[in-house]
Amino acid sequence: MTQTNTDSVKKIASLINGVKFAMLTVQTEKGHLHGHPMTTQDVEFDGDIWFIGGKDTAQVAAMRLHPQVNVSYSHPDKGVYVSVNGTAQLVEDRAKLDELWSDFYKAYFPQGKEDPNIQLIHIAANGAEYWESDGKVRSLISLAKGLIKGEQPHQGENETIKL
């Protein structure tokens, strides 16, 4: 089933809210897919995703060549998995950096917000898919019941969204 409305964006926002880390997958110069963890910014998802990265990283170099990326979120304890595909844009915007910055980043950028290596990464979401179940225990119970009864177990909700 495909959804295409504001409720869909709100649904994705509710699912990824509170997930501290995401996996950002880029395409390397050789065409290989490479995923790496990124800190989720404390802003509500509205179709855009923001990260702070380093200009000198292989990931940023890959996004310069191939801006199509994927961002994956998971919250296994809640049975929530989200995959967002989008287009990366490397942005210079002091006001946005001020909005996103926390002292956590000083570990990566010792000069603070003035560090010339800071790169804002804006992902404009094209679409998303999510899987949501009742959680690990309930999913296992449903799976066991399905096996015993010879029926397809209800594994939760799966939706594809065009943004």
Side-chain angles (χ1 to χ4, degrees):
M1 183 172 160
T2 301
Q3 298 180 16
T4 58
N5 56 34
T6 305
D7 291 339
S8 299
V9 172
K10 289 179 183 177
K11 177 68 176 183
I12 296 297
S14 73
L15 293 172
I16 66 176
N17 183 34
V19 179
K20 186 66 179 161
F21 298 100
M23 290 297 290
L24 173 61
T25 301
V26 300
Q27 183 180 2
T28 67
E29 183 178 334
K30 293 183 178 183
H32 302 286
L33 298 178
H34 178 72
H36 52 281
M38 298 291 284
T39 303
T40 301
Q41 298 304 309
D42 201 14
V43 293
E44 187 170 336
F45 176 78
D46 61 0
D48 295 328
I49 300 170
W50 288 89
F51 295 114
I52 296 175
K55 290 179 181 174
D56 62 352
T57 64
Q59 294 80 16
V60 168
M63 285 182 270
R64 279 190 192 100
L65 290 174
H66 305 285
Q68 295 303 314
V69 299
N70 187 273
V71 183
S72 300
Y73 298 87
S74 70
H75 204 309
D77 293 342
K78 292 185 177 180
V80 172
Y81 303 88
V82 179
S83 176
V84 179
N85 67 76
T87 305
Q89 217 179 2
L90 305 175
V91 176
E92 302 293 327
D93 183 334
R94 181 58 189 224
K96 192 65 174 179
L97 178 60
D98 288 342
E99 177 187 334
L100 299 177
W101 182 262
S102 78
D103 285 340
F104 164 82
Y105 288 107
K106 284 185 181 177
Y108 300 99
F109 304 103
Q111 297 175 40
K113 287 191 276 185
E114 304 307 319
D115 196 310
N117 193 40
I118 292 174
Q119 179 64 70
L120 290 177
I121 302 165
H122 170 243
I123 311 294
N126 299 319
E129 186 168 6
Y130 69 87
W131 298 263
E132 183 179 28
S133 69
D134 294 332
K136 197 183 303 183
V137 173
R138 287 188 181 163
S139 291
L140 289 173
I141 291 169
S142 174
L143 181 62
K145 284 181 180 178
L147 289 172
I148 291 168
K149 293 181 178 181
E151 299 172 356
Q152 182 73 22
H154 176 66
Q155 292 295 315
E157 185 178 347
N158 172 233
E159 296 288 337
T160 300
I161 299 167
K162 182 177 179 182
L163 300 170

